[in-house]
Amino acid sequence: MSDQIKFIVDNLNKEPFRKNYNLITFDSLEPMQLLQVLNDVLAEIDPKQVVDIREEMPEQTAKRMLSLLGILKYKPPGNAADMSTFRQGLVIGSKPVIYPVLHWLLQRTNELKKRAYLARFLIKLEVPSEFLQDETVADTNKQYEDLMEAFKTLHKECEQLKISGFSTAEIRRDISAMEEEKDQLIKRVERLKKRVETVQNHQRMLKIARQLRVEKEREEFLAQQKQEQKNQLFHAVQRLQRIQNQLKSMRHAAADATPESLMKRLEEEIKFNSYMVTEKFPKELENKKKELHFLQKVVSEPAMGHSDLLELESKINEINTQINQLIEKKMMRNEPIEGKLSLYRQQASIISRKKEAKAEELQEAKEKLANLEREVSVKTSQTREYDGTEVLKGDEFKRYVSKLRSKSTVFKKKHQIIAEFKAEFGLLQRTEELLKQRHENIQHQLQTIEEKRGISGYSYTQEELERVSALKSEVDEMKGRTLDDMSEMVKKLNSLVSEKKSALAPIIKELRQLRQKCQELTQECDEKKSQYDSCAAGLESNRSKLEQEVRGLREECLQEESRYHYINCMIKNLEVQLRRATDEMKAYVSSDQQEKRKAIREQYTKNIAEQENLGKKLREKQKAVRESHGPNMKQAKMWHDFEQLMECKKQCFLKQQTQTSIGQVIQEGGEDRLIL
């Protein structure tokens, strides 16, 4: 209990409560203050519960809190018989009742907030069936149920999006990036349009390009459809193979079966089913009925106190003693016939129990077999979905295992060869390291010897000189070869240049003429471009004006369309009201009593008459109560005085019994006399 209080105080001192309690101050709270603390916690879970307890009746407070705790699925400790104690403790603010509730609420506040939020939208309002006969009420109720289902789906999608890790900041960034990309694409499209408009027959080319794109999309769609059909064909072939295998297995099973074995199997199933129907199930049904009758009897009886329990225990002990006495008498008789019969009865009961146990085992085995078959079918479908292959059975599985074994032997051999290569590679690496180390040692020794003799660096310089001389000889050879190659290349280039000059002479003459023509065309192009720009500016201004006019007309059209829809809806509502009014008039005017009873006016008049009769009866009852109030109160006072008088006599009698007898009391003629 102390851990529970400590947990409650720690959580109440945190956000959002910030109560600043300690264990002593919290334990010393008054019942009303404790109820206010509980109400504050409930208000944090459901904001509708923000109420001051002092301004509310205790019954309303208990009803409100119990309804919210029921929505939150709080189960009070104990059995169902303790519910009245729980309600009473909640009304008076009892600590043993309030503390577990606070502990349970503070443990799972976030979860309960979500449950309270969902309860506002998912607790269905029950509409009486007589009101659902009205079309408007029925339609409204159906819309309400549809909206509830839509809320469920949207809430699930929202939770999945929250779990998926998407954040609003990332989505906004993506949206802004996509908008920028959209603007860039729009600008690029406009530039391309302006560039294409100068080309001849650009409309025809655009049309051909559009048709090409459509055909490409259609080609992709057809390719995708072809792939889907291939997959469907593959699955159909696999299914056909699976069904053929099942057919083979069924034929194989049917080949071994004979009519006698089938009949024997069917007879066993019939015997088992008949035993279950005639013996086992009726017994279980009878036991359940007895248990239900006993529970109903227990529920119908009033709540039992400690004295009632003691009385029942004493009765049980008496009945047990009587049973023991009867058993002893029966054992004293020791009749041989009864002994034999009891032996047979014991054997019969043992056999029946064994039979029931075997039947239960058989039933469990059948259920287990069905579950295993279901699991096998699920696993086969899953494997088929994953890789599209069929689950192997029988001989195919054996062949597959033998193939795996042969592959495993090959794998082991290859693995062994690789291990040998790795070992040899390690040895070679080690020898290489040793040789490098020996070379370094020899170089170090040579350097030390050179330093001793005074010619340090001799070996290094000698090696460098040998290397440089070798490189010099190679370079000289390359220079000789390159000089010969360069002389030949110069000759070839000179011949090529002369050939190209002779070939380019007429082309240069033509190029001069084309340059003059290009200058003339560029001047003409500049003039045309200036004309085009002025014309495009005029057309752009006209286009903007037309766009504004079109935008205004579209807005006006949308307004008129919305007004039309609104008027249409109002007309439909008025038609429905008019139809209901005409139906009411027909029902009221018709001579058929059944139709008249269906009329709303008749129903309301009938209800008004019933309520008036009820009010008249209640007024008469109130009048009778007022008339008999005075005599009844007088009689109650007299009974109360009589009860006090009897209590006083009882106390006097008890006092007389406890005190030492001083005198003798004699009662004569309704008088008490004390004789000393």
Side-chain angles (χ1 to χ4, degrees), residues 15 25 72 84 139 151 190 208 253 277 289 304 326 350 358 360 376 400 403 409 415 470 484 495-496 526 622 640 655:
E15 292 288 341
T25 55
L72 299 177
S84 59
D139 293 338
F151 175 77
E190 288 177 355
I208 292 167
V277 171
K289 283 182 179 178
M304 299 176 70
L326 290 171
I350 289 166
K358 292 296 179 185
E360 288 178 358
V376 167
Y400 179 68
K403 192 186 292 184
T409 53
H415 189 68
D484 296 334
S495 61
L496 284 170
D526 292 334
Q622 185 183 9
H640 184 65
K655 194 181 289 184

Side-chain angles (χ1 to χ4, degrees), residues 241-259:
Q241 290 177 357
R242 188 169 61 254
I243 291 168
Q244 285 177 353
N245 292 329
Q246 290 178 1
L247 182 62
K248 285 179 183 178
S249 62
M250 290 175 70
R251 283 177 178 171
H252 183 69
D256 297 336
T258 58

